[in-house]
Amino acid sequence: MSRFMLMKHPILIIELVLIFFVLPSLLFVYGFIVTPVITLLSLLIYIIYLSFNSKKLYKKRIFSLGYLKKKWLYFMLQRFYLNTSVLFLFSLIYYQNLLFKMLLDTPLLWIGIVFLYPFLSVLPQEILYRSFFFHRYKALFKKRKQMIWFSAFSFSYGHIIFHSWIALFLTFVGGFYFATSYAKTKSLFFVCIEHSLYGIFLFTIGLGYFFHHEFITTSF
């Protein structure tokens, strides 16, 4: 962001910093005053409020699911196959004790995640970090690549609340994929499917451990 942008859009910059950096920092320092899901849903209410009261923020763009093209789907599945193969090998080598732990020990919780995670976690996150972010703050960035990298970084930083460098790394890579996908397709539906697939896979192979604060006993 240039000095010109800072002077021209001070309110947007303050809002961006508060939502994407101050709030996660407070949750990191003071713990889970409220659950991440409640936090996300509260931010979603704020986004809905803005979309109905701002002339520049069109609700049809923010909440439009878009559509799914076959060529996008093929590319997503190919990338998903390659990435999940690496993740599975990583889990097998370094975290064998976590492999399929949730699926085997608490299958009902795993089933609940499969059905509820896409709606209670993925959809609010993708609205916040992708559709809302790309439409609300596009005036702050000169190039689309800058928005993609910033979206990925803020998405990763939002997971600082889990006190895990693995969570930060995985969400940065995932955030870059999801931001790139949204920038290319403008399809909330597409990125929600992509995000859901990766998230459910992580919980299935055990790496979801690093995204479940009740089980985190160590910090950085």
Side-chain angles (χ1 to χ4, degrees):
M1 299 180 192
S2 64
R3 179 180 294 182
F4 174 75
M5 294 296 181
L6 291 172
M7 294 175 62
K8 190 176 180 180
H9 305 286
I11 302 300
L12 280 182
I13 293 172
I14 292 172
E15 180 188 85
L16 183 150
V17 171
L18 287 175
I19 292 176
F20 295 101
F21 297 101
V22 173
L23 180 58
S25 298
L26 289 175
L27 291 175
F28 174 77
V29 173
Y30 295 106
F32 285 85
I33 303 171
V34 291
T35 66
V37 172
I38 293 176
T39 303
L40 279 172
L41 293 179
S42 299
L43 288 172
L44 185 59
I45 292 173
Y46 175 67
I47 293 171
I48 293 172
Y49 168 79
L50 284 179
S51 68
F52 279 91
N53 289 275
S54 174
K55 294 180 180 179
K56 295 183 179 180
L57 196 64
Y58 301 103
K59 53 184 175 291
K60 289 184 179 180
R61 293 182 181 179
I62 300 299
F63 298 101
S64 173
L65 290 177
Y67 52 92
L68 187 62
K69 288 185 178 181
K70 285 185 178 180
K71 64 177 182 179
W72 299 343
L73 181 62
Y74 292 149
F75 174 75
M76 177 181 69
L77 292 177
Q78 289 174 354
R79 184 165 67 180
F80 178 76
Y81 173 76
L82 291 174
N83 289 326
T84 52
S85 297
V86 174
L87 287 170
F88 180 78
L89 288 175
F90 173 79
S91 185
L92 184 64
I93 294 171
Y94 295 103
Y95 294 100
Q96 193 172 12
N97 60 312
L98 297 177
L99 202 60
F100 304 116
K101 184 175 178 60
M102 178 180 287
L103 180 61
L104 297 174
D105 293 352
T106 54
L108 291 180
L109 177 60
W110 180 82
I111 292 173
I113 287 175
V114 169
F115 286 98
L116 296 178
Y117 172 73
F119 300 100
L120 296 182
S121 182
V122 171
L123 180 59
Q125 287 185 70
E126 289 307 316
I127 290 175
L128 176 63
Y129 288 100
R130 249 60 72 179
S131 60
F132 173 75
F133 178 86
F134 273 76
H135 291 291
R136 177 71 167 173
Y137 304 114
K138 63 181 180 180
L140 301 179
F141 301 90
K142 291 183 178 181
K143 298 179 180 179
R144 190 173 68 171
K145 287 184 178 180
Q146 293 175 338
M147 295 190 71
I148 291 173
W149 283 108
F150 200 92
S151 173
F153 177 74
S154 60
F155 181 66
S156 175
Y157 190 79
H159 290 77
I160 195 175
I161 57 179
F162 294 110
H163 293 253
S164 168
W165 70 266
I166 291 179
L168 292 179
F169 175 75
L170 291 177
T171 51
F172 180 77
V173 176
F176 179 78
Y177 286 153
F178 307 149
T180 302
S181 294
Y182 186 79
K184 182 177 181 179
T185 67
K186 293 296 187 294
S187 173
L188 185 63
F189 183 51
F190 180 86
V191 292
C192 282
I193 290 177
E194 188 174 30
H195 188 163
S196 297
L197 287 175
Y198 280 102
I200 292 171
F201 177 81
L202 289 177
F203 279 105
T204 301
I205 65 170
L207 292 181
Y209 168 93
F210 299 102
F211 296 86
H212 201 304
H213 71 276
E214 292 180 1
F215 299 137
I216 299 300
T217 57
T218 58
S219 59
F220 294 95

